[in-house]
Amino acid sequence: MSELHFTSPDGVSLNLRLPEQPTDTVPDYRSSVSPHKPTYQHTERAYSLPLPAVPSPTTRPFGNPTPVGLGGFLLANTPATITLLGWRDAGGPNGNESAAIGTFFYLGCLLEILCGIGEWINGETFNAAVFLILGGYFGASGAVLVPFYNALNGYGTTGATTTTTTTTTAAAETAYHDSYAIFLIFMGVLLLFFTIASVRLDICHVVLFACFTVCFPCLATSYFYMADGNDASARTFRIWGGIFSLAGSVILWYLFLGSLLESVDFPYLLPVGDLSKYVKGRTEYLGRRRHKTSMSCGL
């Protein structure tokens, strides 16, 4: 009679006794379990590793800076949008935004930059990029309105062929409007990239960035018409830019309210149309492919 002996690393042993000739009887087998004694390496590893820290759900080292950035953007952009639309003669015939210098600097610029730094500390790269860049935009928009920076008078002698003050001023305004329009065009390109990236977030962010993507080219076209002296067309495109800016501001007020409700643990949250479950991330996609590859190799 032959015997087979199996032993596992955990101390489980199995002994089989097989007859020499095939029979209908059940083979005789015996099993035993020996206590597993941990080795020195196991004991040292178990007691030397520190216990993982248990995160507390009620305490956070820093607060969420998003409501601050959204509030600063709204208080700077919404009045400027009303100026573009010319409601109650705001902004005069040319949509002048000089009354918004303070809001551009201290609400749009300062709060956006502070919020962007907070998002960067929290590890939110996309939010940090959006808030920091928009904060810089508001700072630049406020700077060109301050006489100290001499934005308009810097073009006073460029392209002037006469010595009269009127001709020199007109040439300066033309060069200034054309130059500022180029800046607004590239702001539209930047917002287009934000729109593409926000497809991984939610519907509200996609529509928000899309509105401002259209707003900036409209404003740029308005400045081009102002440089050509076509005030009627300039006003038309300025109003269209204000309409898209107002649409984006309405969505932003909605997101601002949603962030405030979330910050106070409100029982109901506003829906934003989550898209992350439909547009999978790159790491998740590669993880699935790697998992499928390993399973196919194993089979």
Side-chain angles (χ1 to χ4, degrees), residues 5-14 32-34 36:
H5 179 72
F6 301 95
T7 303
S8 68
D10 297 332
V12 179
S13 62
L14 178 64
S32 63
V33 179
S34 61
H36 176 69

Side-chain angles (χ1 to χ4, degrees), residues 128-150:
V130 171
F131 284 116
L132 289 175
I133 293 175
L134 292 181
Y137 163 75
F138 279 114
S141 299
V144 297
L145 299 174
V146 178
F148 171 78
Y149 292 96
N150 202 25

Side-chain angles (χ1 to χ4, degrees), residues 12 15 36 63 68 70 75 112 189 223 229 240-241 247 253 270 294-295:
V12 179
N15 297 324
H36 176 69
V68 177
L70 294 179
L75 292 177
E112 294 294 289
V189 174
Y223 274 91
W240 275 110
W253 281 105
L270 298 180
S294 61
M295 289 296 294

